[in-house]
Amino acid sequence: MEPMNEIAEKLKLLGDKTRLTMLTLLKEREWCVCEFVDIFDMSQSAISQHLRKLKSQGIVNEARRGQWVYYSLNVDDMPYIQAVLNEMPGSQEVLSSMNKEVNCTCN
């Protein structure tokens, strides 16, 4: 088991609503930065900052495809994060509550 400090640092990241929502969406599939920009109505640099924090703690993986960066969940060895995410709603419910649809321009 990871030391308490490492677990605490990772769980702190879930205390931010934007990052928690990102992780909730990532439960079902990988997402492109451009999709998150549209969903959260934030700049690409703000979205990238949130994702950089999650990546630095090993919670998400990053994959580059051409000019776009895609993120996927990486919590197989983090049951404490899995437990939180298991209690979160599905992507459709999250997007509906935000009055958003996915219109990716990155493909």
Side-chain angles (χ1 to χ4, degrees):
M1 183 174 185
E2 295 180 61
M4 287 291 192
N5 289 339
E6 286 184 38
I7 293 172
E9 288 302 311
K10 289 176 181 175
L11 289 173
K12 278 185 200 176
L13 293 174
L14 276 64
D16 178 272
K17 182 181 177 184
T18 299
R19 287 192 290 270
L20 181 59
T21 304
M22 288 176 170
L23 292 175
T24 299
L25 293 171
L26 287 167
K27 286 189 319 180
E28 296 176 18
R29 70 171 178 92
E30 68 178 11
W31 291 78
C32 178
V33 169
C34 65
E35 292 174 295
F36 281 154
V37 167
D38 289 341
I39 290 168
F40 294 101
D41 294 322
M42 297 172 91
S43 68
Q44 184 171 341
S45 61
I47 294 295
S48 294
Q49 184 66 25
H50 282 293
L51 291 165
R52 192 174 7 261
K53 289 178 182 182
L54 294 168
K55 184 182 172 203
S56 73
Q57 290 293 323
I59 297 172
V60 297
N61 288 322
E62 175 184 280
R64 291 191 176 274
R65 293 192 201 117
Q67 69 183 56
W68 303 108
V69 180
Y70 292 83
Y71 288 87
S72 59
L73 204 55
N74 182 39
V75 295
D76 290 342
D77 61 343
M78 300 174 207
Y80 45 93
I81 293 179
Q82 289 177 5
V84 172
L85 295 178
N86 286 341
E87 298 301 318
M88 301 306 293
S91 295
Q92 279 309 121
E93 188 176 339
V94 170
L95 294 171
S96 291
S97 72
M98 298 171 76
N99 294 318
K100 296 290 179 174
E101 292 181 9
V102 179
N103 298 310
C104 184
T105 59
C106 53
N107 292 329

